[in-house]
Amino acid sequence: MVQKPSPLPAHVAIIMDGNGRWAISRGLPRLAGHRAGTENLRRIITACVEFGIKYLTIYAFSTENWGRPREEVEGLMHILEDVIDRELNELHKEGVQLRHIGHLERLAPTIQEKVLQAIELTHNNDRLILNVAFNYGGRDEIVCAIQKMLRDNVKPEEVTAELVSRYLFTAGVPDPDLIIRTSGELRVSNFLIWQGAYSEWYVTSTYWPDFDKEEFRKALDTFAQRDRRYGGLSETVKGNS
Ligand code: FPP
């Protein structure tokens, strides 16, 4: 029986940062860091299933990552394809439902096809919803939502926060309770900028490939201690006033 932190976040989102530095610190090429990061991602997905987390969103490739050297961009595309080829059946057996947020259009047709097949194969699974943010940017997501609302002739007075949420790539997914960023950077980096309005943040200096199940548990334990106020007052303060 796995000892579970409590209360658990329903939705965890992760900025898997530090792959490049992890590799450079070992005298390896940056892509070796992304490969090690991918192996770690596999472990963290299993940990999410074991702990009973319902939604996991991972930032795998941002709209800004196209600006990286061609070799690295191609390497990351290849990793996406490779992960689907090697892990899909196992993820399916574990009850993981794969979803994608962002734009598929700019990816090679063969990769787009694989992603769509993976989504189709797993769409009835409900143990863990895994949102892969690939060619994703938070501002782009909001721009697309506005464009879609205008196309649907939504009237100004009909626009509410709830409606905007329904036009985002993450429609139907609860906002992240916890956002984890590895490698110590203190930036949002265009990740879930609308959905993260009241998320709790956990930042660790550990590079992503080394962020193992125990580090993950530490993040969940820290979350369990947080007093979430959503701009209001905590129960203790209210009780004393
Ligand atoms: C940030 O580290 C990481 C990325 C831009 C890519 C993350 C991708 C993976 C972990 C692979 C999993 C991918 C898929 C498709 C499921 P960085 O390269 O910016 O590190 P640095 O800041 O140390 O240079």
Side-chain angles (χ1 to χ4, degrees), residues 16-21 30 34 37-38 41 60 65 68 80 134:
M16 309 178 290
D17 199 8
N19 293 342
R21 279 165 285 165
R30 291 178 54 83
H34 293 313
T38 307
L41 172 60
N65 286 153
R68 294 195 176 200
L80 175 61
F134 202 99

Side-chain angles (χ1 to χ4, degrees), residues 138-229:
R139 285 187 171 183
D140 171 68
E141 180 180 38
I142 293 169
V143 168
C144 288
I146 294 169
Q147 290 173 339
K148 279 186 254 168
M149 281 191 273
L150 292 175
R151 267 189 233 113
D152 285 355
N153 296 315
V154 173
K155 296 193 188 73
E157 59 276 17
E158 290 170 349
V159 179
T160 59
E162 208 272 319
L163 185 78
V164 173
S165 295
R166 279 198 269 133
Y167 272 87
L168 298 175
F169 298 134
T170 51
V173 173
D175 289 341
D177 302 290
L178 172 66
I179 301 180
I180 297 173
R181 181 162 192 155
T182 55
S183 95
E185 306 294 346
L186 300 173
R187 281 190 291 275
V188 176
S189 296
N190 206 10
F191 185 49
L192 303 178
I193 53 178
W194 173 277
Q195 300 88 333
Y198 283 103
S199 304
E200 295 293 323
W201 277 80
Y202 179 87
V203 177
T204 169
S205 57
T206 305
Y207 294 149
W208 172 251
D210 292 330
F211 185 82
D212 59 14
K213 188 175 168 186
E214 279 321 299
E215 293 254 359
F216 186 41
R217 178 191 288 280
K218 223 191 293 173
L220 297 176
D221 284 339
T222 304
F223 172 82
Q225 307 298 320
R226 299 273 175 93
D227 177 20
R228 301 187 77 189
R229 295 192 293 274

Side-chain angles (χ1 to χ4, degrees), residues 17-134:
D17 199 8
N19 293 342
R21 279 165 285 165
W22 181 93
I24 302 300
S25 69
R26 285 164 174 74
L28 299 169
R30 291 178 54 83
L31 269 176
H34 293 313
R35 277 192 289 271
T38 307
E39 282 165 31
N40 190 51
L41 172 60
R42 191 62 189 86
R43 292 189 283 269
I44 294 300
I45 292 171
T46 303
C48 283
V49 172
E50 281 177 22
F51 287 140
I53 285 164
K54 283 288 162 208
Y55 298 88
L56 173 66
T57 301
I58 50 151
Y59 206 8
F61 192 92
S62 76
T63 43
E64 287 71 39
N65 286 153
W66 294 105
R68 294 195 176 200
R70 192 168 61 92
E71 193 192 15
E72 185 166 344
V73 170
E74 283 175 3
L76 284 165
M77 297 292 155
H78 184 68
I79 285 176
L80 175 61
E81 202 173 2
D82 205 40
V83 166
I84 297 175
D85 287 343
R86 282 188 299 118
E87 302 290 345
L88 182 60
N89 286 337
E90 207 46 47
L91 289 170
H92 184 39
K93 270 194 230 152
E94 282 180 39
V96 176
Q97 182 188 136
L98 269 158
R99 292 189 189 171
H100 167 257
I101 56 171
H103 293 282
L104 283 182
E105 300 91 81
R106 210 171 150 184
L107 311 191
T110 48
I111 303 184
Q112 291 187 34
E113 193 54 38
K114 275 188 187 168
V115 173
L116 293 173
Q117 280 170 2
I119 292 170
E120 174 58 26
L121 175 74
T122 61
H123 79 279
N124 283 325
N125 295 343
D126 62 2
R127 254 186 117 183
L128 172 70
I129 311 287
L130 174 62
N131 284 310
V132 180
F134 202 99

